[in-house]
Amino acid sequence: MATVVFENVSKVFPSSKKGEGVMAVRDLNLIVEEGELLTLLGPSGCGKTTILRMLAGFEPVTDGKIFLDGVDITSKPVNTRGIGMVFQSYALFPHMSVYDNVAYGLMIEKLSKKEIEKRVSDVMDLMAISQFADRAPNQLSGGQQQRVALARAVVTEPSVLLLDEPLSNLDAQLREQMRDELRRIQQRLGITSLYVTHDQSEALAISDEVILLRDGIIQQRGSAEYIYQYPDSEFVAQFLGKASILSGKLIGQYSNGGEVLIDGMVGKIFQPIDESRMGMPVKCVVRPENVAFNASPEGKYVIEQAVFQGLYVEYRMTIGGERFAIVDHDYLKNGALSAGDRIDIELERTPLWILPEAKDKVNAF
């Protein structure tokens, strides 16, 4: 296990315009604790894969330093960093057997044949791929190839494991199964790990902590549950899970919360309220699965679209000129509604979260 530290790290890629560059990562200060699985989450182009590649040594750092257990590895060659990486494409050698793919890193290290056989056998047993030892990678399924790639990455006993969207090539059902296996193996081995994904469900399910990135800057860090419940911004709220953002006005304050007026309805806020914001406009996050509602022919709101998702039905409508969604997991008991049906929203029974006032983000955690 190892601790990873990024100190004022920036990455600028050259631009087609002379004298200009594209800032992919900006002044990143980040600590990844030993044994932790930290997920870098964000939209395409946010800098998450660039952070991984700089740590691995595949991409040079423009400014700043990277430390591994207190040792500056910023300029160290890739093969001296003690870091394993699983790529999105798996990058298996097609002309080698599964056994030789897994053993490749150990052969480069020139370990004894006996030591190589023992370590390869142990890790292949762990990954449940021993029966495929003599096969070529193209004779395996996507999930089996993914296990081989993971085995190859961990057999060298790296101090840090990097995973760059390793499940994106799998179908939905296998992706969920392999996600759980990855987490189980990471916890069993205790390897400090950085996991890159743009899939919010993966981030929620697999991580000790999540870092949400945008334009090379950290927007928020914390457990998946904390960020989901207490987002720092509209971007975070809408990227991690489904969220409606409603405009309101603070109209009341008490010891542990307050009241907000939204489209003529009063909602309860159970979070500290800054007295200076009283009477001011605010943005409220509403998670669609938490909305209390009831169907009524005289209801105030009209369902504009009903989307059947199997586990739930999502109802979409407009509240105060803003898009709003409700997720009903009990539609079989409640009775599924259709576009054109009317409902009332029981805002006083719906958990709300007021977004903090906007502030400049500092790229430091």
Side-chain angles (χ1 to χ4, degrees), residues 2-268:
T3 300
V4 177
V5 177
F6 291 83
E7 188 177 282
N8 299 315
V9 171
S10 295
K11 177 62 183 180
V12 179
F13 288 104
S15 170
S16 56
K17 295 182 180 179
K18 189 175 181 180
E20 293 186 13
V22 177
M23 182 73 77
V25 178
R26 185 188 303 272
D27 296 325
L28 176 67
N29 289 280
L30 172 65
I31 298 175
V32 186
E33 300 293 348
E34 63 179 45
E36 179 179 32
L37 193 156
L38 178 71
T39 294
L40 303 176
L41 175 67
S44 297
C46 71
K48 53 189 187 293
T49 293
T50 301
I51 292 171
L52 229 60
R53 290 179 63 82
M54 287 192 293
L55 177 54
F58 297 129
E59 204 67 65
V61 171
T62 304
D63 288 304
K65 294 182 178 181
I66 301 175
F67 297 89
L68 187 58
D69 269 348
V71 177
D72 185 353
I73 63 167
T74 312
S75 301
K76 278 194 170 188
V78 174
N79 62 336
T80 65
R81 296 191 180 202
I83 292 175
M85 188 160 183
V86 179
F87 299 90
Q88 182 176 352
S89 62
Y90 310 140
L92 300 175
F93 301 119
H95 61 288
M96 291 184 179
S97 68
V98 166
Y99 180 95
D100 288 341
N101 263 280
V102 176
Y104 182 77
L106 300 178
M107 290 189 286
I108 293 297
E109 292 180 6
K110 298 183 178 179
L111 299 185
S112 69
K113 183 178 179 181
K114 184 178 180 180
E115 178 68 10
I116 290 174
E117 287 177 351
K118 181 182 185 307
R119 285 169 64 170
V120 171
S121 176
D122 287 347
V123 79
M124 289 181 70
D125 285 344
L126 176 65
M127 303 297 173
I129 55 173
S130 297
Q131 66 270 37
F132 308 129
D134 296 325
R135 294 191 190 180
N138 63 6
Q139 296 176 310
L140 305 181
S141 68
Q144 291 162 352
Q145 289 184 44
Q146 198 266 350
R147 287 192 189 97
V148 175
L150 184 58
R152 185 179 63 180
V154 302
V155 74
T156 57
E157 299 178 357
S159 53
V160 177
L161 179 63
L162 309 180
L163 302 113
D164 188 8
E165 305 213 34
L167 308 181
S168 61
N169 292 328
L170 305 179
D171 61 61
Q173 186 173 359
L174 184 57
R175 186 163 61 244
E176 185 173 333
Q177 177 187 336
M178 291 307 302
R179 177 194 72 198
D180 296 339
E181 273 196 47
L182 273 175
R183 179 55 165 159
R184 176 182 59 81
I185 291 165
Q186 185 271 335
Q187 288 179 317
R188 180 173 174 179
L189 297 175
I191 300 178
T192 306
S193 302
L194 273 77
Y195 188 102
V196 161
T197 184
H198 64 272
D199 186 323
Q200 54 184 269
S201 63
E202 278 183 31
L204 288 167
I206 204 171
S207 315
D208 290 312
E209 284 195 295
V210 174
I211 281 185
L212 190 50
L213 289 155
R214 184 185 192 186
D215 298 330
I217 297 175
I218 296 172
Q219 303 300 300
Q220 192 168 351
R221 176 178 183 170
S223 69
E225 181 180 0
Y226 182 86
I227 295 178
Y228 185 83
Q229 292 181 349
Y230 310 114
D232 264 357
S233 67
E234 191 169 335
F235 168 77
V236 172
Q238 294 185 318
F239 194 89
L240 194 63
K242 294 177 180 288
S244 300
I245 310 295
L246 296 180
S247 299
K249 184 171 73 171
L250 281 171
I251 59 171
Q253 182 191 30
Y254 37 86
S255 59
N256 62 344
E259 294 182 336
V260 61
L261 184 66
I262 299 175
D263 198 35
M265 299 177 288
V266 176
K268 303 289 186 181

